[in-house]
Amino acid sequence: MRLADITTEDISTLVGLLTIEQKDQLLGQWYAPDSYYNPIQDASDNWVISVEEMQNTVNPDTMWVKDLPLIEYKPKPYEINL
Amino acid sequence: MIGIGIANSLGRNYISSGSDPVIIDPDAEAFLLATAITDPTITTAINNLVVGMKADGIWSKMQAIYPFVGGTATTHKFNLKNPVDSNAAFRLVFNGGWFHNSDGVLPNGVNGYANTFFVPSVQFGPTDYSSLSFYSRTDSITTAIQIDMGVSQFSTPTGAFLLNSIFSTSSLVGGFQCDFPNAYSYQYYGSQGANTNTTGFYTGTCDELSNSFYKNSLLIAQNTFAKISTRTSPTTPLAIGADLYNSNARRYSNKNYAFAHIGKSLTSTDVVNLNSMVQAFQTTLGRQV
């Protein structure tokens, strides 16, 4: 699935899948004015970014994120204790 | 009609309300200039907020104020207390997915957080008791823990500085936690109280005796302190929209924020006054909940 295929309801459940090299390319990079990418790892240790970052990218050097394959987002479980 | 008037002979801007013009407070003006906001409603709201804080003696206790006005990341990033585009001024950097509009800021609950560059161990001395607040327009309680504002470290020694409305569906409590340098032998746990809805204005504050957690100026929980030598003030920055845990963001929030602050300790009277001003601020902007 790609960005052009999703509906509004998909935004919160899908993320863009990155390779490790792509993740490194995005670190420290802006996607929109005063907004920066934040690649994270999902429950399967895949590197991913949000659909919001993909949709709102206006940085000409990172427009390739709009073509990232989309996968279902499964967050890492965290400790219960605060 | 309210509008921004032409600079008078003194070089100051003013709000014209049809009767006597009101000169915009210089700190409000600095913020409006930095953000390039000219909207008269926002101008009035910001001016009233600053003037009110100063009249109530709260302004000097604030170190960072984020009114989240203007509708874009570029306007939302500025600290009203020091509207300079630098980390040292605690200008926000938005990371991950965020929505920005006239209702404020909305992290996506997946990877969105804002770095304040405010490091508690640097900004707070041994007697600088602290406070945090935020205005949430969203009721969102999830199975995963969400943190509204926070920094924590669980290496030796441990410590945290955070404010939260409700942690999760399995922990229906909110709370405030502040820890201080163990070299001074004062470490504090937080206060937590039951909560069922995450909308509202939340304030946490501590002084030399106790730690208090408020919702809409009502005291939800309060703890007195025991001196414990196993905790310390965090040495990494505070985040909005998540907890920066050992410098890595986690527990992302998906709530819409329309105000936040970081500062020194507030009295119970300060909390009531701050709540009144922030509620009036939101009402002026048409985004109260």
Side-chain angles (χ1 to χ4, degrees):
Chain A
M1 182 182 288
R2 300 288 176 168
L3 201 59
D5 303 323
I6 67 173
T7 65
T8 302
E9 290 73 28
D10 294 325
I11 291 177
S12 62
T13 61
L14 299 175
V15 289
L17 178 63
L18 299 164
T19 65
I20 293 177
E21 292 75 23
Q22 290 173 328
K23 179 267 295 183
D24 289 337
Q25 289 177 40
L26 295 183
L27 291 177
Q29 297 299 310
W30 62 277
Y31 66 89
D34 296 301
S35 303
Y36 294 81
Y37 292 105
N38 181 31
I40 61 171
Q41 288 183 291
D42 67 5
S44 300
D45 286 336
N46 296 310
W47 284 101
V48 299
I49 58 171
S50 67
V51 167
E52 291 86 0
E53 291 161 280
M54 297 168 64
Q55 288 181 328
N56 295 320
T57 287
V58 295
N59 184 339
D61 296 333
T62 58
M63 296 298 279
W64 52 265
V65 301
K66 294 180 181 293
D67 295 321
L68 290 172
L70 297 173
I71 62 172
E72 182 181 354
Y73 179 54
K74 295 179 181 178
K76 279 186 178 291
Y78 289 111
E79 309 89 338
I80 297 176
N81 294 328
L82 295 176
Chain B
M1 176 181 292
I2 295 175
I4 295 182
I6 299 171
N8 60 21
S9 60
L10 297 177
R12 303 288 297 279
N13 283 323
Y14 65 92
I15 302 170
S16 173
S17 61
S19 55
D20 294 332
V22 176
I23 295 178
I24 299 176
D25 177 276
D27 289 298
E29 183 177 9
F31 175 82
L32 294 167
L33 288 173
T35 55
I37 290 175
T38 59
D39 177 86
T41 301
I42 297 176
T43 298
T44 298
I46 290 292
N47 193 61
N48 289 346
L49 182 65
V50 174
V51 170
M53 283 187 175
K54 290 182 177 180
D56 287 340
I58 293 175
W59 179 259
S60 60
K61 299 180 181 181
M62 300 282 127
Q63 290 169 275
I65 304 169
Y66 305 107
F68 299 131
V69 291
T72 69
T74 301
T75 59
H76 290 161
K77 71 181 182 181
F78 282 102
N79 171 10
L80 172 60
K81 189 69 189 290
N82 185 8
V84 174
D85 194 357
S86 73
N87 297 348
F90 311 130
R91 175 266 295 115
L92 298 176
V93 169
F94 294 101
N95 299 284
W98 286 82
F99 297 102
H100 296 272
N101 61 17
S102 59
D103 286 335
V105 298
L106 172 61
N108 62 1
V110 173
N111 68 342
Y113 75 98
N115 189 340
T116 67
F117 299 97
F118 187 100
V119 180
S121 64
V122 173
Q123 301 305 323
F124 293 133
T127 58
D128 288 332
Y129 308 105
S130 61
S131 66
L132 294 172
S133 77
F134 65 86
Y135 187 97
S136 166
R137 302 183 71 256
T138 308
D139 183 24
S140 175
I141 309 172
T142 57
T143 53
I145 293 175
Q146 293 190 15
I147 298 293
D148 297 294
M149 299 176 73
V151 52
S152 58
Q153 57 190 58
F154 287 91
S155 52
T156 302
T158 61
F161 184 45
L162 69 84
L163 179 65
N164 213 54
S165 51
I166 290 177
F167 291 106
S168 69
T169 53
S170 59
S171 182
L172 290 174
V173 294
F176 174 63
Q177 186 167 352
C178 58
D179 286 302
F180 287 82
N182 57 11
Y184 300 98
S185 301
Y186 287 85
Q187 289 82 34
Y188 303 104
Y189 284 125
S191 56
Q192 295 183 358
N195 193 17
T196 58
N197 184 305
T198 62
T199 58
F201 183 58
Y202 294 85
T203 309
T205 184
C206 58
D207 58 26
E208 62 182 356
L209 295 176
S210 63
N211 171 309
S212 304
F213 172 61
Y214 296 83
K215 178 178 180 178
N216 297 332
S217 81
L218 297 178
L219 184 65
I220 302 298
Q222 189 173 65
N223 273 338
T224 55
F225 296 125
K227 298 178 185 179
I228 302 171
S229 61
T230 59
R231 300 179 67 86
T232 191
S233 181
T235 57
T236 52
L238 175 79
I240 296 174
D243 173 33
L244 268 179
Y245 167 67
N246 293 344
S247 298
N248 295 307
R250 66 170 187 172
R251 297 175 171 172
Y252 298 97
S253 168
N254 62 357
K255 298 190 242 354
N256 173 203
Y257 302 108
F259 180 91
H261 103 267
I262 310 168
K264 303 295 178 62
S265 180
L266 300 175
T267 66
S268 56
T269 299
D270 290 338
V271 172
V272 170
N273 290 337
L274 179 61
N275 176 73
S276 295
M277 283 185 284
V278 171
Q279 300 286 359
F281 178 73
Q282 307 303 344
T283 300
T284 300
L285 296 174
R287 61 187 198 183
Q288 74 282 3
V289 292

